[in-house]
């Protein structure tokens, strides 16, 4: 009797503690493999080798190699995000509203699902086989039109070449994000604006574009962060010849090329800030457009 | 309201050319290993390379391990958050989005600092320890996709009713989770699993910086030293990605039929 | 000359014709409803008036002017959609102002007009809110204001109440009609709800399978349906099969019993098999009084609904349904009992298409 009462007393709080116990592995995992490692880097960015607080690492970021690496990274990410957003939006629009045969849409969506995940080293190989010095397209252009793109300044291992390569996963990502957003434009909005006297251009300027704007800008930011953190494609394509921030950080982790571990942490901190800001803005914009779409 | 259909067509055709030409070119290139004729020589060489076999097997094993760990961590959490602790949802969703915010190279940098040989938890001291670290790194990479897939799957079924029904029949909690909930979100878990596999199998940065003999670093090495094999490998990688996405669609389609029934 | 005319309008999608030569003339200031089941062509016709669809053949004229090939934005028509269709990115005031801005009106004029419109729909204080902050009924009133702000020649309403709760639906129905009367605007109202059409319209255009079945006032449509379709679609009506015995006296045989119809044969000749209709409210149970029709049948089913008892009576192959008030002190009818149903000569309607 007493034993069972004690047992039930012990048993009563159990469901709750068991519930919390269920999320412990997740929280522990998040701490061990996300939060603490990132925090350690951020702390390291403000420490000197002896562990004292300093802002020197941040100040030391201000050197030509590092500034240039950030610049190039931001430029490539922005260019590929902008191009990807523009072209991806065009294709998403064509697929969703362009009155093309029905089968095109699922085909394009499936392909986009594959291509947006087809990044990294193999993507670099594919573009080398296409637009490298001996690539098929390079060879065809030379033999058919007598036009050697490399003689006219094109180089796959450059800003333009890398941007063109990044577009291969940026455009599909944009298609995947924007097609549902364009689907969200109701036919009645177009009709209501037409019957109120608006032209198609006025409808896009005053209604459709403002409605899509948060999704568009948000998608651009997501694409930007996506390209900014990428490294494998660039590394496989250019080795370490291209000075972008991820390749610099890669070299720093490998061999401390900056001869200052704590400067490496500051480098990483800068990256987290940039991707964090653009992702944060993306999430904020998305919640805004979702509020409208209800 | 007649709209010209020519613009959309041009956009789609140009897009299709941009998407298809690299694939065609790569495939063509991969067949040119023997001079003067098309052959699958490059593929034969690749498949015959013991390093290919070893690194692919290694990456596949790590991917499977990452999927198992990921499912074990994500499913109970998503389930509990949905059923019992909805106020934790914002926090959990924020955490699952972090891997998109922090670039992989930064994360692995953090791991190297946290788990190096002179730290409290010197995982990188041994090969097994580093394998474990790499597995966890991949779980982290896949976390946003895995969590979203499972969370959506759980929303689609009425987990509260299922849970209460199981409880009324006297099931214990682990039993409910593994015998009632898990089978019902099997499709969602499988989608997450294939996506994880597609992301992880050719991953380069983390494997390379942790010095593990994975498929990604192997690809990079071949790319730096060979001419035709990389093209063959790119085609193989594309087919693997396509297979993973195809399997997701296949199972996703099956689920739609299930709910209709 | 009518204000809005449709002449021989047809519409073909692919190889399927959905509208078969519609002729319609609507007077200035008139409120006409298109009533019919889904797929009857009422929405397609409305969309052709709006300009979203082009007729395959035929002419549409507004105020004497041929608008058949004009684009929607050149027609000066106001339209209210089923799903509100307010622009989610604009405030209520900006939504109402949209058509005026597009027409390049001065901002002072726009502001005054928006204020006037908000007063008209009795929502003077919601100008700065966004659509998602309003209830469905409020959104639909704003949509009405937006459509009227441009002072259109014609107002089109496409099932504007069907997304709303029953209570709001009735309130808004009266409001729309009041606004329409005060502005005197020519209005076409599409609905599948007969009660809406009957209560709001000057005239109802009952449509079925791409044709106009009957055009008339609500009173005519309800009390004197011309076709079996109108009779069954508008109100609940008992339709019985019979044979014309003598056109001159209007004698009709139903299940071997003769009745008299005094409202005309509707084109039927002696010996024709035909359909006749009886409103449930015209039927009584009991001995036939002189000068009335009587039919003997058997009670097939009795539903006790509280204040009303609904009885189904069978005459051979025909079944009629009628309601009697509940009388607490007398026994209710019993299934299987023989019964006599009687009704006036003038209550019997001869429909123009024989029953199948």
């Amino acid at each position: 009797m007493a034993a069972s009462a004690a047992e039930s007393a012990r048993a009563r709080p159990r469901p709750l503690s068991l519930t919390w116990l269920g999320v412990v592995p997740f929280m522990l995992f998040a701490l061990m493999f996300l939060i603490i490692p990132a925090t350690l880097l951020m702390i390291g960015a403000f420490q000197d080798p002896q562990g004292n607080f300093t802002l020197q690492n941040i100040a030391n970021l201000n050197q030509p190699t590092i500034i240039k690496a950030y610049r190039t990274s931001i430029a490539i990410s922005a260019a590929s995000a902008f191009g990807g957003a523009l072209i991806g939006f065009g294709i998403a629009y064509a697929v969703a509203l362009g009155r093309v045969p029905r089968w095109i849409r699922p085909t394009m969506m499936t392909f986009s699902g594959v291509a947006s995940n087809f990044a990294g080293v193999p993507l670099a190989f594919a573009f080398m086989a296409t637009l490298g010095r001996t690539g098929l397209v390079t060879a065809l252009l030379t033999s058919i039109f007598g036009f050697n793109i490399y003689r006219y300044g094109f180089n796959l291992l450059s800003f333009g070449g890398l941007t063109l390569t990044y577009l291969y996963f940026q455009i599909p990502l944009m298609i995947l994000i924007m097609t549902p957003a364009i689907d969200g434009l109701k036919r009645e909005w177009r009709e209501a604006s037409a019957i109120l006297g608006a032209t198609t251009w006025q409808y896009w300027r005053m209604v459709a574009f403002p409605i899509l704007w948060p999704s568009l800008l948000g998608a651009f930011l997501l694409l930007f962060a996506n390209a900014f953190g990428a490294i494998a494609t660039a590394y496989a394509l250019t080795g370490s010849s291209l000075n972008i921030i991820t390749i610099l950080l890669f070299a720093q982790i490998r061999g401390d090329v900056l001869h200052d571990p704590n400067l490496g942490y500051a480098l990483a901190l800068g990256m987290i800030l940039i991707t964090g800001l653009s992702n944060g803005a993306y999430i904020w914009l998305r919640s805004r457009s979702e509020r409208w779409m209800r | 309201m007649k709209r010209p259909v020519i613009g959309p067509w041009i956009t789609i055709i140009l897009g299709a050319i941009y998407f298809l030409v690299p694939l065609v070119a790569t495939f063509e290139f991969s067949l040119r290993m023997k001079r003067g004729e098309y052959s699958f020589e490059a593929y034969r060489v690749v498949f015959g390379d013991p390093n290919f076999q070893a690194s692919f097997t290694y990456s596949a094993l790590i991917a499977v391990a990452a999927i198992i760990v990921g499912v074990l961590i994500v499913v109970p959490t998503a389930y509990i958050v949905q059923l019992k602790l909805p106020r934790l949802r914002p926090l959990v969703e924020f955490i699952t989005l972090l891997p998109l915010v922090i670039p992989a190279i930064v994360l692995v940098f953090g791991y190297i600092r946290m788990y190096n040989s002179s730290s409290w938890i010197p995982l990188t001291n041994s090969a097994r320890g580093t394998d474990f670290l790499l597995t966890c790194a991949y779980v982290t990479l896949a976390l946003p996709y895995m969590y979203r897939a499972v969370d959506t799957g759980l929303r689609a079924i009425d987990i509260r009713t299922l849970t209460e029904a199981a409880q009324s029949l006297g099931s214990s909690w682990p039993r409910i989770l593994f015998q009632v909930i898990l089978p019902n979100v099997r499709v969602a878990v499988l989608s997450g699993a294939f996506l994880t596999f597609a992301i992880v199998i050719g991953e380069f940065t983390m494997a390379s910086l942790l010095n593990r003999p994975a498929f990604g670093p192997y690809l990079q090495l071949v790319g730096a030293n060979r001419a035709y094999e990389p093209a063959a490998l790119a085609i193989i990688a594309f087919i693997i990605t396509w297979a993973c996405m195809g399997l997701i669609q296949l199972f996703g389609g099956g689920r739609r039929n299930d709910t209709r029934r | 000359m009518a204000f809005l005319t449709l002449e021989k309008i047809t519409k073909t999608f692919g190889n399927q014709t959905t509208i078969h030569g519609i002729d319609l003339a609507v007077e200035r200031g008139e409120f006409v409803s298109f009533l019919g089941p889904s797929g009857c062509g009422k929405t397609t016709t409305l969309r052709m008036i709006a300009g979203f669809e082009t007729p395959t053949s035929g002419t549409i004229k507004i105020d004497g002017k041929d608008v058949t090939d004009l684009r929607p934005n050149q027609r000066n028509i106001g339209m209210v959609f089923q799903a509100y269709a307010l622009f989610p990115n604009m405030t209520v005031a900006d939504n109402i102002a949209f058509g005026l801005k597009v027409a390049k009106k001065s901002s002072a004029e726009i502001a005054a007009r928006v204020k006037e419109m908000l007063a008209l729909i009795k929502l003077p204080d919601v100008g700065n809110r966004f659509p998602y902050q309003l209830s469905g009924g409020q959104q639909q009133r704003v949509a009405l204001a937006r459509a009227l702000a441009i002072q259109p020649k014609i107002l089109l309403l496409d099932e504007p109440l069907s997304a709303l709760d029953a209570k709001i639906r009735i309130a808004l129905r009266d409001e729309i009609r009041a606004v329409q009367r005060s502005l005197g605007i020519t209005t076409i109202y599409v609905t599948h709800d007969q009660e809406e059409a009957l209560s709001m319209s000057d005239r109802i255009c009952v449509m079925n399978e791409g044709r106009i079945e009957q055009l008339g006032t609500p009173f005519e449509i309800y009390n004197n349906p011309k076709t079996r379709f109108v009779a069954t679609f508008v109100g609940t009506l008992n339709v019985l099969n019979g044979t014309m015995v003598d056109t001159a006296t209007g004698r009709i045989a139903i299940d071997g019993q003769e009745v008299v119809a005094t409202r005309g044969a509707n084109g039927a000749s002696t010996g024709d098999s035909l359909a006749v209709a009886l409103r449930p409210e015209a039927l009584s149970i009991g001995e036939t009084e002189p000068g009335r029709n009587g039919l003997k049948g058997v009670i097939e089913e009795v539903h006790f609904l509280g204040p009303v008892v609904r009885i189904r009576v069978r005459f051979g192959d025909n079944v009629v349904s009628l309601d009697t008030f509940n009388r607490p002190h007398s026994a209710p009818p019993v299934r299987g009992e023989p019964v006599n149903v009687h009704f006036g000569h003038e209550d019997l309607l001869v429909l123009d298409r024989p029953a199948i």
Side-chain angles (χ1 to χ4, degrees):
Chain A
M1 183 70 196
S4 80
E7 210 175 272
S8 69
R10 223 183 315 135
R12 206 168 294 129
R14 249 185 78 194
L16 186 73
S17 58
L18 205 70
T19 304
W20 283 96
L21 212 62
V23 289
V24 162
F26 175 84
M27 292 300 173
L28 209 62
F29 184 88
L31 276 177
M32 297 288 284
F33 296 103
L34 267 168
I35 293 160
I36 298 178
T39 313
L40 278 179
L41 286 187
M42 292 196 247
I43 294 172
F46 295 100
Q47 279 178 336
D48 62 16
Q50 285 73 45
N52 304 313
F53 174 82
T54 176
L55 288 173
Q56 194 55 44
N57 301 318
I58 311 293
N60 284 349
L61 286 177
N62 189 14
Q63 48 181 280
T65 336
I66 294 177
I67 296 289
K68 191 159 171 292
Y70 271 117
R71 275 227 184 106
T72 316
S73 265
I74 290 174
I76 289 180
S77 309
S80 74
F82 186 76
L86 210 66
I87 301 168
F89 177 76
I91 295 177
Y93 172 87
V95 164
L97 299 174
R99 300 189 168 187
V100 289
R102 214 169 273 264
W103 58 268
I104 287 192
R105 183 184 168 130
T107 311
M108 193 58 94
M109 295 305 275
T110 308
F111 182 85
S112 297
V114 178
S116 63
N117 283 301
F118 181 64
V121 182
L123 178 64
F125 294 167
F127 270 77
M128 273 193 281
T130 311
L131 285 165
R133 279 180 196 280
T134 54
L136 182 72
V137 172
T138 314
L140 282 180
L141 286 174
T142 311
S143 64
I144 297 174
F145 302 105
F147 184 79
N148 186 339
I149 47 174
Y150 276 82
R151 203 168 296 156
Y152 290 89
F154 178 82
N155 186 356
L156 188 61
L157 317 182
S158 70
F159 176 88
L162 195 58
T163 304
L164 195 66
T165 310
Y166 276 12
L167 283 180
Y168 203 82
F169 58 81
Q170 298 279 57
I171 295 173
L173 189 57
M174 186 70 183
I175 296 174
L176 289 180
I177 300 173
M178 282 316 289
T179 308
I182 294 175
D183 282 341
L185 290 176
K186 292 188 187 140
R187 188 182 72 170
E188 285 90 345
W189 291 335
R190 177 190 285 275
E191 292 180 349
S193 76
I195 203 86
L196 288 165
T199 59
T200 304
W201 164 242
Q202 281 169 323
Y203 161 70
W204 274 97
R205 187 168 60 83
M206 297 168 78
V207 181
F209 196 66
I211 290 173
L212 289 180
W213 177 238
S215 321
L216 271 170
L217 192 62
F220 170 80
L221 292 168
L222 188 75
L223 263 56
F224 178 88
N226 191 31
F228 191 82
I231 170 170
T233 309
Y235 189 77
L237 210 52
T238 69
S240 45
S241 70
L242 193 71
N243 181 23
I244 61 173
I245 195 68
T246 39
I247 287 183
L248 183 62
L249 186 59
F250 189 84
Q252 166 68 12
I253 299 170
R254 265 278 164 80
D256 195 12
V257 290
L258 300 169
H259 308 294
D260 182 354
N262 292 82
L263 186 53
Y265 302 146
L267 217 59
L269 176 71
M271 290 187 63
I272 295 178
L273 273 183
I274 291 172
T275 52
L277 277 179
S278 64
N279 270 296
Y282 164 69
I283 291 163
W284 180 72
L285 285 165
R286 207 186 55 178
S287 68
R288 228 180 93 126
S289 68
E290 273 170 6
R291 189 185 63 179
W292 274 351
M293 288 300 194
R294 269 188 309 197
Chain B
M1 303 236 282
K2 296 150 210 149
R3 267 176 294 142
V5 82
I6 187 86
W9 270 116
I10 292 174
T11 314
I12 287 173
I13 288 168
L14 286 180
I17 290 173
Y18 174 76
F19 287 138
L20 294 179
V21 163
L23 295 179
V24 174
T26 308
F27 185 61
E28 198 268 356
F29 200 86
S30 72
L31 300 179
R32 282 199 294 191
M33 197 167 184
K34 279 189 177 168
R35 278 197 185 281
E37 59 167 320
Y38 283 142
S39 69
F40 285 98
E41 182 67 12
Y43 294 88
R44 201 190 56 75
V45 172
V46 163
F47 285 125
D49 182 356
N51 286 332
F52 168 84
Q53 295 161 3
S55 65
F56 189 85
T57 314
Y58 176 84
S59 277
L61 282 177
I62 295 284
V64 170
I67 289 165
I68 293 170
V69 175
V71 170
L72 287 180
I73 287 175
V74 165
V75 174
T77 307
Y79 171 73
I80 289 169
V81 165
Q82 199 143 313
L83 198 64
K84 297 272 174 183
L85 297 169
R87 68 205 139 108
L88 272 187
R89 177 179 288 279
L91 176 68
V92 169
E93 283 192 347
F94 174 75
I95 289 173
T96 59
L97 285 175
L98 274 181
L100 296 179
V101 177
I102 308 170
I105 187 166
V106 173
L107 268 181
V108 75
F109 194 14
Y111 295 163
I112 290 168
R113 174 167 182 171
M114 186 169 167
Y115 299 108
N116 66 35
S117 47
S118 55
S119 68
W120 290 352
I121 317 165
L123 282 177
T124 54
N125 261 357
S126 66
R128 288 294 140 266
T130 318
D131 289 346
F132 174 72
L133 186 56
L134 187 61
T135 306
C136 292
Y138 286 170
V139 172
T140 313
L141 272 194
L143 192 60
Y145 309 99
M146 184 61 102
Y147 187 84
R148 195 171 291 189
V150 171
D151 193 47
T152 316
L154 282 174
R155 271 172 215 239
I157 60 166
D158 188 354
I159 54 167
R160 185 170 299 276
T161 312
L162 272 182
T163 304
E164 279 164 7
Q167 271 177 320
S168 73
L169 295 172
S171 290
S172 63
W173 275 106
R175 221 188 147 89
I176 291 173
L177 204 54
F178 285 100
Q179 296 195 347
V180 181
I181 300 302
L182 204 54
N184 277 291
V185 292
R186 196 181 62 226
V187 171
V189 168
L190 279 175
S191 315
F194 288 125
L195 203 55
T196 306
F197 194 87
I199 294 167
V200 160
I201 190 70
E203 202 282 334
F204 166 73
T205 319
M206 290 179 150
S208 171
L209 287 173
L210 291 175
N211 278 319
R212 295 310 296 153
F215 192 48
Y218 165 80
L219 288 174
Q220 196 273 332
L221 199 68
V222 173
N225 298 304
R226 300 299 192 96
Y228 300 100
E229 289 90 333
L233 284 166
I235 294 295
I236 294 168
F238 190 82
I239 290 170
I240 293 170
T241 314
W242 191 283
C244 288
M245 297 297 134
L247 286 170
I248 290 174
Q249 285 219 329
L250 199 71
F251 285 109
R255 176 176 55 171
R256 243 165 276 139
N257 288 340
D258 279 350
T259 47
R260 213 177 295 146
R261 226 186 317 154
Chain C
M1 170 107 203
F3 190 70
L4 166 71
T5 56
L6 308 186
E7 290 163 20
K8 299 194 179 58
I9 296 294
T10 63
K11 179 68 183 172
T12 306
F13 290 103
N15 52 12
Q16 207 180 353
T17 303
T18 53
I19 305 290
H20 303 270
I22 281 184
D23 286 292
L24 179 69
V26 179
E27 299 301 325
R28 188 187 290 270
E30 202 179 9
F31 190 116
V32 173
S33 292
F34 288 178
L35 174 65
S38 61
C40 72
K42 56 189 193 297
T43 296
T44 307
T45 310
L46 190 82
R47 291 173 61 80
M48 287 194 285
I49 298 173
F52 299 136
E53 312 280 353
T54 314
T56 310
S57 67
T59 328
I60 298 171
K61 284 183 188 161
I62 297 173
D63 204 5
K65 192 176 144 211
D66 186 345
V67 299
T68 317
D69 294 318
L70 280 189
R71 282 145 49 115
N73 57 5
Q74 300 163 323
R75 294 192 180 200
N76 193 22
I77 284 177
M79 182 153 170
V80 176
F81 297 83
Q82 182 177 347
Y84 323 139
L86 293 177
F87 305 131
N89 57 319
M90 299 180 197
T91 62
V92 165
D94 286 339
N95 263 285
I96 297 174
F98 183 84
L100 303 166
K101 272 187 195 151
V102 165
K104 306 252 181 330
K105 302 277 191 221
S106 75
S107 51
E109 190 185 341
I110 292 176
R113 188 98 187 111
V114 167
K115 210 174 160 204
E116 186 191 333
M117 284 296 122
L118 286 171
L120 184 74
I121 58 166
K122 302 198 182 81
L123 290 172
D125 303 320
V126 302
N128 291 323
R129 298 220 204 136
F130 280 92
Y132 72 88
Q133 296 168 312
L134 302 181
S135 71
Q138 289 172 323
Q139 288 192 51
Q140 200 56 299
R141 272 143 79 184
V142 173
L144 180 67
R146 181 179 67 177
L148 292 171
I150 57 170
Q151 293 178 296
K153 287 183 176 153
I154 291 180
L155 177 64
L156 305 177
L157 300 117
D158 185 7
E159 309 227 7
L161 305 180
S162 59
L164 301 173
D165 298 339
K167 234 180 188 170
I168 302 164
R169 210 150 57 202
I170 290 168
L172 206 49
R173 189 158 92 188
D174 299 342
E175 214 166 304
I176 289 175
R177 181 60 163 147
V179 167
Q180 188 268 340
R181 276 221 178 86
S182 71
L183 298 177
I185 184 168
T186 313
T187 300
I188 305 287
Y189 187 100
V190 163
T191 180
H192 62 265
D193 182 330
Q194 42 134 337
E195 196 183 309
E196 251 172 58
L198 290 170
S199 66
M200 296 174 83
S201 323
D202 291 320
R203 282 195 295 164
I204 297 174
C205 175
V206 184
M207 295 182 69
N208 186 34
E209 292 177 350
R211 290 187 178 83
I212 295 180
E213 290 270 334
Q214 190 174 352
L215 178 67
T217 64
F219 188 86
E220 285 166 4
I221 296 281
Y222 187 81
N223 292 316
N224 200 5
K226 285 284 189 325
T227 67
R228 186 190 175 92
F229 175 80
V230 176
T232 48
F233 191 76
V234 182
T236 48
L237 204 67
N238 298 302
V239 176
L240 301 89
N241 297 321
T243 316
M244 181 60 83
V245 176
D246 180 14
T247 326
T249 53
R251 282 188 295 140
I252 294 166
I254 295 169
D255 184 34
Q257 308 178 52
E258 270 191 19
V259 289
V260 177
T262 52
R263 285 174 60 172
N266 207 354
S269 354
T270 303
D272 281 357
S273 55
L274 45 72
V276 296
L278 285 165
R279 292 269 173 222
E281 60 263 34
L283 303 178
S284 310
I285 285 182
E287 286 307 305
T288 310
E289 292 152 25
R292 284 172 73 83
N293 289 317
L295 282 173
K296 288 188 165 41
V298 178
I299 295 179
E300 188 173 74
E301 196 64 75
V302 179
H303 296 287
F304 186 75
L305 303 176
V308 168
V309 182
R310 181 158 297 163
I311 302 166
R312 288 206 309 173
V313 182
R314 176 173 286 278
F315 315 101
D317 293 336
N318 297 298
V319 178
V320 298
S321 169
L322 62 105
D323 293 348
T324 62
F325 287 114
N326 169 39
R327 293 191 196 86
H329 304 297
S330 63
V334 180
R335 276 181 55 196
E337 251 179 19
V339 71
N340 185 59
V341 175
H342 64 95
F343 48 93
H345 292 161
E346 69 287 354
D347 290 327
L348 192 64
L349 299 173
V350 179
L351 305 174
D352 66 352
R353 262 188 243 165
I356 303 128

